[in-house]
Coordinates of all heavy atoms in Angstrom, one line a residue:
R1 N -9.9 12.1 23.6 CA -11.0 11.7 22.7 C -10.6 10.6 21.8 O -11.1 10.4 20.7 CB -11.5 12.9 21.9 CG -12.1 13.9 22.8 CD -12.8 15.0 22.1 NE -12.1 15.6 21.0 CZ -12.6 16.6 20.3 NH1 -13.7 17.1 20.6 NH2 -11.9 17.1 19.3
G2 N -9.6 9.8 22.1 CA -9.2 8.6 21.3 C -7.7 8.6 21.0 O -6.9 9.1 21.8
I3 N -7.4 8.0 19.9 CA -6.0 7.8 19.5 C -5.6 8.8 18.4 O -6.3 9.0 17.5 CB -5.7 6.4 19.0 CG1 -6.0 5.4 20.2 CG2 -4.3 6.2 18.5 CD1 -6.1 4.0 19.8
A4 N -4.4 9.4 18.6 CA -3.9 10.4 17.6 C -2.6 9.9 17.0 O -1.9 9.1 17.6 CB -3.7 11.8 18.2
P5 N -2.2 10.4 15.9 CA -0.9 10.0 15.3 C 0.3 10.5 16.3 O 0.2 11.6 16.8 CB -0.8 10.8 14.0 CG -2.2 11.2 13.7 CD -2.9 11.3 15.0
G6 N 1.3 9.6 16.4 CA 2.4 9.9 17.3 C 3.6 10.4 16.5 O 3.6 10.5 15.3
N7 N 4.7 10.6 17.2 CA 5.9 11.1 16.6 C 6.5 10.1 15.5 O 7.1 10.6 14.6 CB 7.0 11.3 17.7 CG 8.2 12.0 17.3 OD1 8.0 13.1 16.8 ND2 9.3 11.5 17.5
G8 N 6.2 8.8 15.7 CA 6.7 7.9 14.7 C 6.2 8.2 13.3 O 6.9 7.9 12.3
T9 N 5.0 8.8 13.2 CA 4.5 9.1 11.8 C 5.3 10.2 11.2 O 5.6 10.2 10.0 CB 3.0 9.5 11.9 OG1 2.8 10.6 12.8 CG2 2.1 8.3 12.4
L10 N 5.7 11.2 12.0 CA 6.6 12.3 11.5 C 8.0 11.8 11.2 O 8.5 12.2 10.2 CB 6.6 13.4 12.6 CG 5.3 14.1 12.9 CD1 5.5 15.0 14.1 CD2 4.7 14.8 11.7
V11 N 8.5 10.9 12.0 CA 9.8 10.3 11.8 C 9.8 9.5 10.5 O 10.7 9.6 9.6 CB 10.2 9.4 12.9 CG1 11.5 8.6 12.6 CG2 10.5 10.2 14.2
S12 N 8.7 8.8 10.2 CA 8.6 8.1 9.0 C 8.5 9.0 7.8 O 9.1 8.7 6.7 CB 7.3 7.2 9.1 OG 7.2 6.4 7.9
A13 N 7.8 10.1 7.9 CA 7.7 11.0 6.8 C 9.0 11.6 6.4 O 9.4 11.7 5.3 CB 6.7 12.1 7.1
V14 N 9.8 12.0 7.5 CA 11.1 12.6 7.2 C 12.1 11.5 6.6 O 12.8 11.8 5.7 CB 11.7 13.2 8.5 CG1 13.2 13.6 8.3 CG2 10.9 14.4 9.0
H15 N 12.0 10.3 7.2 CA 12.8 9.2 6.6 C 12.5 9.0 5.1 O 13.4 8.8 4.3 CB 12.5 7.9 7.4 CG 13.0 6.7 6.8 ND1 12.2 5.7 6.3 CD2 14.3 6.2 6.4 CE1 12.8 4.7 5.7 NE2 14.1 5.0 5.8
T16 N 11.2 9.0 4.8 CA 10.8 8.8 3.4 C 11.3 9.9 2.5 O 11.8 9.7 1.4 CB 9.3 8.7 3.3 OG1 8.8 7.6 4.1 CG2 8.8 8.4 1.9
A17 N 11.3 11.1 3.0 CA 11.7 12.3 2.3 C 13.2 12.3 2.0 O 13.7 12.7 0.9 CB 11.3 13.6 2.9
V18 N 14.0 12.0 3.1 CA 15.5 12.1 2.9 C 16.2 10.8 2.7 O 17.4 10.8 2.4 CB 16.1 12.8 4.2 CG1 15.5 14.2 4.4 CG2 15.9 12.0 5.4
G19 N 15.5 9.7 2.9 CA 16.1 8.4 2.7 C 17.1 7.9 3.7 O 17.9 7.0 3.4
I20 N 17.1 8.5 4.9 CA 18.0 8.1 5.9 C 17.2 7.8 7.2 O 16.4 8.6 7.6 CB 19.0 9.2 6.2 CG1 19.8 9.5 4.9 CG2 20.0 8.9 7.4 CD1 20.7 10.8 5.0
L21 N 17.5 6.7 7.9 CA 16.9 6.4 9.1 C 17.6 7.2 10.2 O 18.8 7.3 10.3 CB 17.0 4.9 9.5 CG 16.1 4.0 8.7 CD1 16.6 2.5 9.0 CD2 14.7 4.2 9.1
P22 N 16.8 7.8 11.2 CA 17.4 8.5 12.2 C 18.0 7.7 13.4 O 17.7 6.5 13.5 CB 16.2 9.3 12.8 CG 15.1 8.4 12.6 CD 15.4 7.7 11.3
V23 N 18.8 8.3 14.2 CA 19.3 7.7 15.4 C 18.1 8.0 16.4 O 17.7 9.1 16.6 CB 20.6 8.2 15.9 CG1 20.9 7.8 17.3 CG2 21.7 7.9 14.9
V24 N 17.6 7.0 17.1 CA 16.5 7.2 18.0 C 17.1 7.2 19.4 O 17.8 6.3 19.8 CB 15.4 6.1 17.9 CG1 14.3 6.3 18.9 CG2 14.9 6.0 16.5
A25 N 16.8 8.3 20.1 CA 17.4 8.5 21.5 C 16.5 7.9 22.5 O 16.9 7.6 23.6 CB 17.5 10.0 21.7

């Protein structure tokens, strides 16, 4: 039914909260 938020939005939220960029596999 259209476009939904992807995993990148969650990654961004965690990055903002902890201040560390993740290693992306």
Side-chain angles (χ1 to χ4, degrees):
R1 295 191 313 182
I3 297 172
N7 192 55
T9 60
L10 299 173
V11 171
S12 181
V14 172
H15 164 246
T16 301
V18 300
I20 299 171
L21 286 170
V23 172
V24 180

